[in-house]
Structure formats: C-alpha cells, structure tokens
C-alpha cells in the first residue's frame, strides 16, 4: 500500500486525545498522513459529502452523537470509508459491538502506540477495499441473478429455497418471503398434485447426488395459469466435490409449446384433409361407377335385344337408366354444394316464407316416394311467416326426412314436428328405424362417415355434412338422439332473426301490406 497519500479523517472532541493521536502519527512519519480533524459528527459527515478519505478514526462519544449510533450515522453518510473506532479503557464491550457492525477495528485510547496505530490503519484500509470489491462483485452478480429473463432459485441440497430471483417470483406468482425457507415442492407453483411433488423430490435427490437434471414441464403460474418451462437443476460443488447448493433454472417456453401444438394441429388437419381427399376420390368413383354400370348394362341390353324386347321390358330399362342418372345428378349436386360451402360461396339469403305451408308441401312430396311409410306432420305456433333461407332449409329437411325414410327399411311412422316460436323455429324428425350406434354418433356429420349398421342401405355419407353446413349458415343448432333398434330423432333449432333483420312483427306487417288483395 502506498502510505504516502493516506488521508485520515479524525473525529474526536477531546483536543488532548486528538493532539496525542496526531503526534503518534507524526511519529510514524509526518509526510505519510494528511489529517483532517473535526470535533463534531455533523461536521465530519458534511465534509465527507465533498471530500473523500481513506479512513476515519471515530470517537464514539461526541457532543452531537453518542455510542453505536455514531457508527451507523457515519456509515450511512459515507459507506465506503473504513472506520476505526476510538474508545476509552472501559468501553471495550461497545468497541466489540462496533466491530460486529460496520467498524473495521478499534483502538483503546491511552494504549495507542505508533506501531499499533499504523497497523490498524493499514489493515482497516485493506479490509475496507476487500469489502468494497466484495460489495461490487455481489452487486454485479445480484444484478445478473435478478435481471436475467430466466427464473432462478438457489436451493440447499435438501431442496429448501435460499433465494429466488425476480423473474421466478413473477412467473411462479409467489413473492420471495413466501418461498424462502420452504422446500421447493411446497411452493404454490409446484404443489398442485402430490404426484408432481413426489417427482420433484426424486429429481432434487438426483441433483443432490451430483447429477444435472433437465426437463420440460408445467408449473402453476400467476393467476393459476399453467406455464410450460424448460426446467433444470444444477448441483454446485465445493473444492472437495461436495454438493453445497442446487441452482434451479426455468425458462418460460409456453410460446414455443403453443406454436408446437399449432404445428401439430395443422399437420393433423393436413393429414385428415389428405385422408379425406383420398376417401373422396375413391368414394366418388365408387358411387359413380354403380349407376354407370346400370346405365351401360341397360343400354347394351336395349341395343342387342331391341327386336326381342317388348315395350314394357324396354320401359323397365329406360326407367333404370333414369334412376341411375338421377342418382348421379344428386351426387354431383351434393359434391358441388359442399364444394361451394367450403369455398365460402354459400351465403345465408333469407326470404319471407309461410313455414307451415313450406313444410307441409315438402312432406307431401317426400311421402309420394315412400309408400311403406307414413309421415305425420304437425305444426305448432301462432306465426307461420318467417324469414329463413328457403334453399338451405329445404336441404336440411329433405336430407333428414330422406334419412328417416331410408333408415326405417321396414316402413312405419315418421313424425315431423315443427314448433314456430317468436325467435326460434324447432324442427323435430323422429323415426323408429335401425338407430345409430353410440360410437358412430359423433362423426356422422363429417363427410363420408356412415354408421356401422347401415348394411346394404345405399348412401354416400354426405347428407348430414350438408345439413350441418346449412344449419351453421343459419346460426342454428343440431341435436341427435338415437338408439339402435329403437329409432332416431334429429332436432334442429334455427333462430328466426339471427342476422339482425327485422323483427317478426315488422316482417308480418310488411307481408300484410304487400299481400295481394
Ligand atoms: P347420403 O349422402 O346419400 O345422404 P347417407 O344417408 O349415408 O348418404 P348421411 O345422410 O350423411 O349419409 O348420414 C350419415 C350416416 O348417418 C348414415 O350413413 C347412417 O349411418 C346414419 N344415419 C343418418 N340418419 C339416420 C337415421 N335416421 N337412422 C339411422 N341412421 C342414420
Ligand atoms: Mg342421407
């Protein structure tokens, strides 16, 4: 240490003691010291705000301050100046307490020899510098610990929290005082299941054995939201290789996990779409091939045996050709309909209709082609004039009624109930046919899905997906109740004024005023 420039602040109210000290210092070499002397603490504190000193020699009983508070006050004003306390014979206890607080050393007045003084000053300055470096280093490391975007905590090898940084407090939603002193598995973020706690105990034991552990896992974050973290436990060892601390790190990877889940979902959708396309192509070719074969066979028969066939036989083959063509046209219509709806080209276009009349006509048309069945139509409601998309509604009801007929091969009753209320129309179509197995019910509204019990009953599996699209365009709801061997009921609810069009009363008054006389 270069002693030539040591500046000493001497705070001592006794002029004789001050003089004695200065003489002792001069004895050590006058040119090595620069001494500034004050009798009062306040003056000393004032001078420190403008000047810096290498050391302070501080008497503890001053006119404006007494005892240990003198040290506290001085240290608060000049934390970087090492303090050597000056005490009387009988004050050694207080001197020891002073050293336990912020003072570097103490000297007992009357026993101060030049050597003792010189050594005390040098050691105090050195210790002060080391402490200052430690403080700076602690400040830097704490800055990193607190400011890193990683959640960090320090644990004892047994898993008890010693420190937890700000990011972890924020992510885990627990303030420092709720965490320190507790085992990690008892913190709010980790105690949501005993299985999770047990697992955490196991990996803490592994880390305490010197193993580095790393996992992607979920913890309970602030507001009880589960957060994905990249979690690691790193053992910190001393010079002889004993684990003394465990360093916990956790990086929030929720965004990455969300992105991964979205990629997987998109990938699954893509896979389903491809599967659907393959199904679609094979289904469509299959569905077209059947009627085509019928047409080809009928045409070949008509061509080859034209002379031999009588009119009745010829009409039978022409009839078959027409049915096959109708089937193909229906299939084409359905495919085109779904194509248009997928391309977003189908729009809800409401018009004013008489719902009771519309449903009754539809029933009669379908009844014509279902001689074994009896469709029982029942309409309830004060109002019959409603605004709906007539085409979409026809698709819905025709599909459901045709299914009810088709899937009751033994014939019998089919109930068709319509309830027209002010804001909602409810359509209930009930049959007593083959029913739908529970396991098939969920996927029936997807394209080409048919239940496992259809047997030889023909169908493409497109009808209900069309119904679903039409109901969605109407912002309505579909409900299905079915039991194998008992029957099936489809209930459709359509809001009658879903797109902010006029209220029913207004619609009716318009209708009345435009009605032909
Ligand atoms: P299409 O496209 O010609 O209508 P489909 O009738 O097979 O063919 P959907 O109307 O979509 O197709 O019906 C899907 C499946 O749901 C049917 O194949 C059948 O298994 C089952 N299903 C639908 N309605 C009924 C019903 N009323 N009773 C029993 N099963 C039904
Ligand atoms: Mg159908």
């Amino acid at each position: 240490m270069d002693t030539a420039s040591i500046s000493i602040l001497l705070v001592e109210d006794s002029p004789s003691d001050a003089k004695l000290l200065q003489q002792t210092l001069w004895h050590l070499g006058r040119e090595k010291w620069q001494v500034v002397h004050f009798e009062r603490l306040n003056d000393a504190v004032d001078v420190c705000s403008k000047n810096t000193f290498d050391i302070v020699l501080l008497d503890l009983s001053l006119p404006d301050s007494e005892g240990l508070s003198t040290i506290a006050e001085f240290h608060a004003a000049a934390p970087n100046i090492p303090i050597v306390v000056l005490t009387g014979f009988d004050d050694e206890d207080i001197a020891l307490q002073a050293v336990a607080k912020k003072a570097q050393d103490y000297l007992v007045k009357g026993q101060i020899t030049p050597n003792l003084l010189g050594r005390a000053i040098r050691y105090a300055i050195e210790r002060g510098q080391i402490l200052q470096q430690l403080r700076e280093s602690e400040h830097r490391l704490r800055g990193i610990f607190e400011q890193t975007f990683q959640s960090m905590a320090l644990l004892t090898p047994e898993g008890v929290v010693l420190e937890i940084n700000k990011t972890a407090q924020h992510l885990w939603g627990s303030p420092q005082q709720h965490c320190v002193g507790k085992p990690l598995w008892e913190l709010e973020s980790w105690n949501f299941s005993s299985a999770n706690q047990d697992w955490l105990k196991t990996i803490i034991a592994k880390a305490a054995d010197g193993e580095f552990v790393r996992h992607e896992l979920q913890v309970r974050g602030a507001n009880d939201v589960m957060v994905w973290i990249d979690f690691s436990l790193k053992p910190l060892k001393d010079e002889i290789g004993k684990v003394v601390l465990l360093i916990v790190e956790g990086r929030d990877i929720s965004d990455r996990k969300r992105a991964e889940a979205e990629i997987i979902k998109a990938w699954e959708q893509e896979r389903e779409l491809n599967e659907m396309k393959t199904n679609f192509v094979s289904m469509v070719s299959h569905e077209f091939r059947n009627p085509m074969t019928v047409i080809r066979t009928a045409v070949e028969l008509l061509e080859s045996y034209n002379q031999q066939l009588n009119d009745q036989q010829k009409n039978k083959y022409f009839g078959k050709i027409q049915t096959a063509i109708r089937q193909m046209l229906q299939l084409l219509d359905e495919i085109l309909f779904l194509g248009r709806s997928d391309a977003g080209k189908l729009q809800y276009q409401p018009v004013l209709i008489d719902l009771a009349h519309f449903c009754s006509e539809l029933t009669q048309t379908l009844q014509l082609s279902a001689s074994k069945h009896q469709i029982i139509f029942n309409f309830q409601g004060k109002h019959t004039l409603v605004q709906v998309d007539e085409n979409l509604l026809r698709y819905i009801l025709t599909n459901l009624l045709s299914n009810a007929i088709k899937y009751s091969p033994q014939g019998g009753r089919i109930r068709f109930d319509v309830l027209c209320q002010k804001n909602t129309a409810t359509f209930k179509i009930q049959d007593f046919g083959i029913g739908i197995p529970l396991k098939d019910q969920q996927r029936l509204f997807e394209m080409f899905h048919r239940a496992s019990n259809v047997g030889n009953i023909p169908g493409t599996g497109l009808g209900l997906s069309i119904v679903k699209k039409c109901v969605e365009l109407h912002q309505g709801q579909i409900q299905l109740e079915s039991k194998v061997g008992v029957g099936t009921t489809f209930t459709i609810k359509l809001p009658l004024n879903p797109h902010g069009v006029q209220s029913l009363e207004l619609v009716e008054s318009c209708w009345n005023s435009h009605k032909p006389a």
Side-chain angles (χ1 to χ4, degrees), residues 330 334 399 403-404 406-407 431 434-436 444 449-451 454 459-465 488 490:
Q330 190 201 334
E334 287 181 342
N399 268 302
N403 277 353
K406 186 160 73 167
Y407 297 108
D431 66 60
I434 62 171
I436 305 168
L444 284 190
H449 275 284
R450 305 197 70 208
V454 289
T460 53
L462 287 175
L464 285 182
S465 41
T488 303
F490 278 94

Side-chain angles (χ1 to χ4, degrees), residues 293-356:
T293 312
V294 171
I295 293 171
R296 196 176 59 194
T297 316
V299 169
E300 278 171 4
L301 284 170
L302 284 168
E303 227 173 34
S304 312
Y305 301 101
N306 192 21
Q307 307 296 328
Q308 290 96 316
L309 294 173
N310 62 29
D311 281 354
Q312 200 188 356
Q313 285 168 318
K314 280 181 190 169
N315 283 342
K316 192 178 100 189
Y317 290 123
F318 281 126
K320 281 187 189 280
I321 291 171
Q322 271 172 350
T323 310
I325 290 173
R326 247 199 323 276
Q327 272 176 14
M328 289 199 293
L329 285 176
Q330 190 201 334
L331 184 63
L332 259 182
D333 277 348
E334 287 181 342
I335 291 168
L336 284 175
F337 183 96
L338 285 168
R340 273 171 63 214
S341 96
D342 282 344
K345 286 188 185 155
L346 266 189
Q347 301 243 320
Y348 170 78
Q349 286 171 333
V351 288
L352 201 57
I353 63 163
D354 180 329
L355 191 61

Side-chain angles (χ1 to χ4, degrees), residues 139-154 163-172 230 234 247-252:
H139 187 70
R140 277 196 299 273
L141 292 177
R142 183 150 294 280
I144 297 171
F145 181 72
E146 293 296 359
Q147 300 306 323
T148 175
F149 64 91
Q150 307 258 57
S151 320
M152 286 188 84
L154 298 179
E163 295 225 33
I164 167 168
N165 77 347
K166 292 230 162 56
T167 314
Q169 291 173 46
H170 179 70
L171 184 74
W172 304 351
D230 177 354
K234 206 178 283 172
I247 304 171
V248 177
E249 276 184 79
R251 193 159 51 87
D252 185 347

Side-chain angles (χ1 to χ4, degrees), residues 45-60:
V45 164
D46 272 356
V47 77
C48 287
S49 65
K50 294 170 210 111
N51 300 286
T52 170
F53 296 92
D54 292 317
I55 191 160
V56 59
L57 302 178
L58 185 63
D59 183 17
L60 291 190

Side-chain angles (χ1 to χ4, degrees), residues 172-295:
W172 304 351
S174 310
Q176 164 111 340
Q177 65 269 26
H178 287 182
C179 305
V180 172
K182 285 188 188 164
L184 189 63
W185 55 85
E186 280 180 15
L187 303 191
E188 290 273 306
S189 333
W190 301 89
N191 67 1
F192 51 89
S193 86
S194 53
N196 188 60
Q197 289 182 302
D198 290 345
W199 177 79
L200 191 59
K201 284 179 203 169
T202 325
I203 61 164
I204 284 176
K206 274 189 189 169
D209 262 357
E211 204 178 305
F212 171 65
V213 195
R214 185 173 176 184
H215 289 279
E216 288 187 358
L217 48 86
Q218 279 187 300
V219 291
R220 182 166 46 197
N223 304 325
D224 285 348
V225 177
M226 296 306 282
V227 183
W228 273 103
I229 57 169
D230 177 354
F231 173 82
S232 67
L233 267 174
K234 206 178 283 172
L236 191 75
K237 298 176 183 171
D238 63 9
E239 302 79 41
I240 57 162
K242 187 175 157 225
V243 176
V244 284
L245 273 182
L246 302 181
I247 304 171
V248 177
E249 276 184 79
R251 193 159 51 87
D252 185 347
I253 51 166
S254 303
D255 285 348
R256 199 195 83 202
K257 283 282 175 189
R258 260 194 295 278
E260 271 175 17
E262 265 164 36
I263 290 170
I264 291 172
K265 199 168 139 205
W267 182 73
E268 265 170 12
Q269 277 172 348
E270 169 100 13
R271 196 179 49 79
E272 265 182 27
L273 203 71
N274 282 341
E275 209 174 285
M276 233 160 67
K277 276 186 199 155
T278 319
N279 274 349
F280 185 82
V281 172
S282 62
M283 196 68 201
V284 168
S285 15
H286 175 79
E287 290 303 315
F288 273 105
R289 186 161 287 134
N290 282 345
M292 291 281 220
T293 312
V294 171
I295 293 171

